[in-house]
Amino acid sequence: MTTDRREDSALLLRQLTRWGQAHPSVVTMGAAIFCTLVGAVDYVSGDLISPNIFYVLPVVVTTASAGRRSGLLIIGVATLIGFLAAASGVNNPSPPIIAWNLLARVVFLVGSVWLVDALVHTLEQLEARATTDPLTGALNRRALYDLTTREMARCERAGAPMSVAYFDLDGLKAVNDTAGHDAGDALIVSFVDELRSHSRPTDLAARLGGDEFALVLPELGLADAEIVVRRLQVALAEHGVSASAGIAAIDTSLSDIEPAIQRADQLMFEAKQGGLGVRAER
């Protein structure tokens, strides 16, 4: 239960961050309004309440959602509002005190911006490592399954078909044995590059193992999926690369792609054994 709550909280935080990244002007404007309200409280309270902690919230939220530049912009807004509040406040402190307080605030907030920006960058790197194959940048198995589950639900609502193609590179072991693993890695990267260049933005390409890959094709039935795969194989052949493939339909009423993956894997094995290149489910 605790783990589920942590995962739900992390997902909510990530969704909010992505929303902020998609609407940076809205986040920045909201942060500026919040700073104005804090400045009003600062004006009324004078030296009784230090407002620095209240300026941290809009700066941190803006930096995490809209980026470091927007965070620094909010620091400028907070500094200006803080100066006006201090210069015209009820206690009216001397200029050196105002300057010192503003300098301390700027240093504190700038440090917060750099810390949050570094944290967001680190989290993005960790997320990328957890969802992508380090050699090719393609999705890994876990990410493929998670994203495909969402696409299955969408296609089920729309009444659209889905297919998955399972690929196995031909001759990778021979390349590794004769030319070395660097050449084998180059072959894998070349295959993924071709896979991406012949895929739609909505397709999901993943590396499942050493020389095994999957391509999920939302809204494509078996016939159309076979056309895509055969075009890909022609393009691969032009670069001296070949791959056997099996194609299976995805049952979108299920919540698991594994049965379709297993069928496509078996069809790929049959295609490789029979020298067919491609074998689609019938």
Side-chain angles (χ1 to χ4, degrees), residues 13 42 73 87 90-91 131 153 158 172 181 186 191 215 234:
L13 178 60
D42 189 18
L73 175 62
V90 294
N91 294 332
T131 59
L172 179 62
H181 287 277
F191 172 79
L215 179 64
V234 171

Side-chain angles (χ1 to χ4, degrees), residues 1-9:
M1 181 66 71
T2 302
T3 301
D4 292 341
R5 289 179 178 176
R6 289 178 179 175
E7 292 179 352
D8 291 342
S9 299

Side-chain angles (χ1 to χ4, degrees), residues 35 55 59 73-83 102 105 109:
C35 287
Y55 285 117
V59 169
L73 175 62
I74 294 302
I75 289 178
V77 173
T79 303
L80 176 60
I81 291 175
F83 170 76
L102 291 179
R105 178 178 301 169
L109 294 179

Side-chain angles (χ1 to χ4, degrees), residues 111-122:
S112 299
V113 165
W114 285 101
L115 179 62
V116 171
D117 185 64
L119 178 60
V120 169
H121 182 65
T122 300

